[in-house]
């Protein structure tokens, strides 16, 4: 695995040269588009989803390093980074920094990787609440970088509206039913431990705790000890994810059930049909295309409803940026970090608990002028501060200051 590192100047240009690693997550496309608009030289090395043998992986990386000569490598959620540490070794040989932007819970991802604490690795996380825990783990460079929106991609393009998409209230999101079951199968707990996990998830869903692992350590030490006894990082991580996703399922089920009296249109996986099989008055629509459909879908709802995953108790999700970017109105659950991004009441409307949902829905259905005013203000804020051009600019400046 010996490479012959070639030295080249780093961060000497007006903008850095960025090697984007793999396209398995949609956000890489947003970042590549932002690079184009900002005039940043970049190369997307798409490793795909197939397994590569060691020699092929090293050859692909070495060729990209020596021909493109990047200032740093950028990935999302550590995708493209091998668990064994081969990429970390290559980056060290070439003295190349790595930027990894986490837009899902990093604690549900990093546990299976080796050689994590490299001095030339910078972690960016969309959730401010994860900055301190990541630093406590030993990561030297950790930065907060929220999600954003791409107004050039999130633009309506249909000449005529799809009438079936019109709704007083709509919700676009995953029920988490299948995802939860898949993580449970991967964890493969005993029946007793499975039942215990379901109880833990119920408690975690309504707690203020940020992470399922520490929550179990404090409140359910016997459950924590039982799954740690797996002595298998993949199964342990799957178990914590299972608890987190089940908590999200319970929370979303409660929140979405509060909009059922308003005959909502629910868009997502078929799990919703199972969860609400006994309920009437609501409509189901299969998942829509993020780019092709949602920019035309959001403006056809008087209220776009949102309830956030329990993997993020303080941060906001993608929909908080996307809906106003499409000039549509959003009603979302309150998250502490929202107030750093939007002005509550003027640019965003939040419910503090599910009990508040029906009253807020009634209020804003009856006040189209208020909906239009909030949606317009939120869109102005997104365009001024929360595009992926803004996010890439911050990331590049931070990498230059840290490693230049």
């Amino acid at each position: 695995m010996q490479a012959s590192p070639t030295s080249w100047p780093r961060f000497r240009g007006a903008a850095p040269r960025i090697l984007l690693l793999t396209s398995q997550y949609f956000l890489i496309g947003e970042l590549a588009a932002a690079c184009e608009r900002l005039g940043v030289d970049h190369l997307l090395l798409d490793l795909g989803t197939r397994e590569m043998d060691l020699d092929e992986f090293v050859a692909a990386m070495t060729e990209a390093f020596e021909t493109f000569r990047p200032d740093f490598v950028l990935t999302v959620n550590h995708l493209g980074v091998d668990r064994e540490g081969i990429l970390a070794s290559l980056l060290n040989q070439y003295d190349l920094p790595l930027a990894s932007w986490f837009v899902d819970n990093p604690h549900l991802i990093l546990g299976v990787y080796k050689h994590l604490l490299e001095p030339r690795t910078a972690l960016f996380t969309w959730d401010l609440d994860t900055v301190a825990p990541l630093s406590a783990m030993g990561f030297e460079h950790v930065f907060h970088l929220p999600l954003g929106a791409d107004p050039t991609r999130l633009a309506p393009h249909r000449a005529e509206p799809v009438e079936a998409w019109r709704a007083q209230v709509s919700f676009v999101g995953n029920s988490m039913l299948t995802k939860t079951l898949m993580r449970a199968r991967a964890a493969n707990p005993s029946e007793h431990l499975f039942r215990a996990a379901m109880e833990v998830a119920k408690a975690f869903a309504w707690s203020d705790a940020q992470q399922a692992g520490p929550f179990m350590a404090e409140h359910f030490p016997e459950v924590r000890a039982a799954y740690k006894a797996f002595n298998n990082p993949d199964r342990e991580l799957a178990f914590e994810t299972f608890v987190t996703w089940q908590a999200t399922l319970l929370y979303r089920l409660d929140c979405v059930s509060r909009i059922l009296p308003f005959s909502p249109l629910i868009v997502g996986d078929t799990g919703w049909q199972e969860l609400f099989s006994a309920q009437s008055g609501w409509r189901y629509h299969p998942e829509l295309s993020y780019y092709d459909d949602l920019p035309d879908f959001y403006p056809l709802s008087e209220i776009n409803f949102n309830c956030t995953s329990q993997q993020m108790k303080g941060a906001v999700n993608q929909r908080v940026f996307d809906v106003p970017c499409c000039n549509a109105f959003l009603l979302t659950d309150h998250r502490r970090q929202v107030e750093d991004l939007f002005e509550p009441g003027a640019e965003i409307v939040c419910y503090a608990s599910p009990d508040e949902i029906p009253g807020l829905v009634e209020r804003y259905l009856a006040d189209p002028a208020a909906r239009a005013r909030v949606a317009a203000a939120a869109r102005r804020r997104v365009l001024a501060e929360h595009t992926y051009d803004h996010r890439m600019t911050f990331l590049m400046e931070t990498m230059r200051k840290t490693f230049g």
Side-chain angles (χ1 to χ4, degrees):
M1 201 194 80
Q2 286 297 320
S4 300
T6 303
S7 179
W8 59 87
R10 306 281 195 262
F11 297 99
R12 297 293 177 88
R17 295 169 62 82
I18 304 175
L19 177 62
L20 297 167
L21 202 55
T22 204
S23 62
Q24 297 171 44
Y25 198 93
F26 86 96
L27 191 56
I28 284 289
E30 316 289 77
L31 301 184
C35 286
E36 290 283 351
R37 290 189 295 271
L38 295 169
V40 174
D41 287 335
H42 62 284
L43 173 67
L44 174 60
L45 180 59
D46 192 354
L47 303 175
T49 57
R50 66 186 180 87
E51 291 290 328
M52 300 177 72
D53 65 35
L54 174 61
D55 291 339
E56 186 181 7
F57 179 77
V58 170
M61 288 295 173
T62 301
E63 181 181 8
F65 292 168
E66 296 193 350
T67 58
F68 180 66
R69 296 192 169 191
D71 290 306
F72 66 89
V73 177
L74 172 60
T75 188
V76 174
N77 282 353
H78 244 45
L79 290 169
V81 178
D82 63 289
R83 296 181 176 187
E84 294 73 25
I86 304 303
L87 178 60
S89 177
L90 283 171
L91 291 170
N92 282 336
Q93 290 180 41
Y94 281 85
D95 196 27
L96 271 175
L98 171 70
S100 192
W101 187 7
F102 285 91
V103 294
D104 287 305
N105 190 327
H107 298 286
L108 300 180
I109 297 172
L110 289 172
V112 295
Y113 287 88
K114 300 176 182 177
H115 304 285
L116 285 173
L117 303 176
E118 298 292 341
R120 295 186 69 77
T121 293
L123 301 187
F124 295 82
T125 172
W126 96 121
D127 185 352
L128 182 62
D129 292 335
T130 61
V131 171
L134 288 170
S135 298
M137 288 173 63
F139 290 100
E140 186 176 348
H141 309 293
V142 186
F143 307 95
H144 178 220
L145 187 61
L147 295 167
D150 184 344
T152 66
R153 291 182 150 201
L154 289 172
H157 57 268
R158 284 177 171 80
E160 298 293 331
V162 179
E163 292 302 323
W165 291 352
R166 288 194 186 277
Q168 279 194 316
V169 184
S170 69
F171 173 71
V172 178
N174 198 287
S175 72
M176 308 306 292
L177 186 60
T178 299
K179 288 188 174 184
T180 297
L181 292 174
M182 288 177 65
R183 289 295 83 202
R185 292 192 188 103
N188 193 26
S190 66
E191 182 176 349
H192 174 75
L193 187 54
F194 175 86
R195 293 182 183 278
M198 299 294 275
E199 292 301 313
V200 171
K202 190 184 302 181
F204 177 64
W206 301 109
S207 75
D208 292 328
Q210 301 298 316
Q211 309 294 336
F215 176 75
M216 284 185 277
E218 181 177 357
H219 299 285
F220 296 87
E222 72 287 352
V223 175
R224 173 84 165 178
Y227 80 85
K228 282 296 183 181
F230 293 160
N231 287 320
N232 181 312
D234 288 300
R235 287 182 64 196
E236 292 169 26
L237 195 61
F239 188 88
E240 291 185 10
T241 308
F242 161 43
V243 169
T244 304
W245 286 167
Q246 177 63 17
T248 297
L249 186 158
L250 295 172
Y251 175 69
R252 284 189 173 172
L253 186 60
D254 185 25
C255 290
V256 176
S257 70
R258 310 299 181 108
I259 65 172
L260 292 183
F262 302 96
S263 303
L265 175 58
I266 299 177
V267 179
D269 61 297
T270 57
W272 290 114
Q273 294 176 303
E274 293 185 50
L275 293 172
F276 288 136
S277 61
Q279 304 288 337
S280 60
W282 65 283
R283 291 185 290 145
Y284 170 75
H285 194 292
E287 294 170 326
L288 293 170
S289 166
Y290 183 79
Y291 297 115
D292 295 337
D293 297 331
L294 289 181
D296 292 293
F297 176 88
Y298 288 140
L300 294 178
S301 296
E302 294 177 39
I303 294 177
N304 290 275
F305 183 71
N306 185 42
C307 45
T308 313
S309 168
Q310 294 299 84
Q311 70 165 323
M312 44 206 287
K313 297 284 187 79
V316 302
N317 64 9
Q318 188 69 54
R319 200 161 294 110
V320 170
F321 302 97
D322 289 351
V323 171
C325 188
C326 298
N327 205 28
F329 177 82
L330 179 76
L331 172 62
T332 186
D333 45 355
H334 181 265
R335 289 293 186 262
R336 291 185 307 279
Q337 294 165 40
V338 75
E339 293 170 22
D340 297 328
L341 303 165
F342 298 94
E343 183 182 346
E347 297 173 327
I348 195 166
V349 177
C350 305
Y351 55 92
S353 76
D355 291 339
E356 296 181 359
I357 293 170
L360 285 168
V361 171
E362 288 180 352
R363 173 184 170 185
Y364 282 95
L365 283 178
D367 196 345
R371 296 199 309 268
R373 191 164 55 246
V374 171
R379 177 172 166 78
R380 287 194 297 269
R381 187 70 177 269
V382 168
L383 297 181
E385 298 181 19
H386 302 318
T387 69
Y388 281 112
D389 290 21
H390 293 111
R391 302 301 186 244
M392 273 303 298
T393 298
F394 175 85
L395 189 148
M396 291 186 298
E397 290 175 351
T398 301
M399 291 299 288
R400 184 187 296 275
K401 291 176 183 176
T402 305
F403 301 111

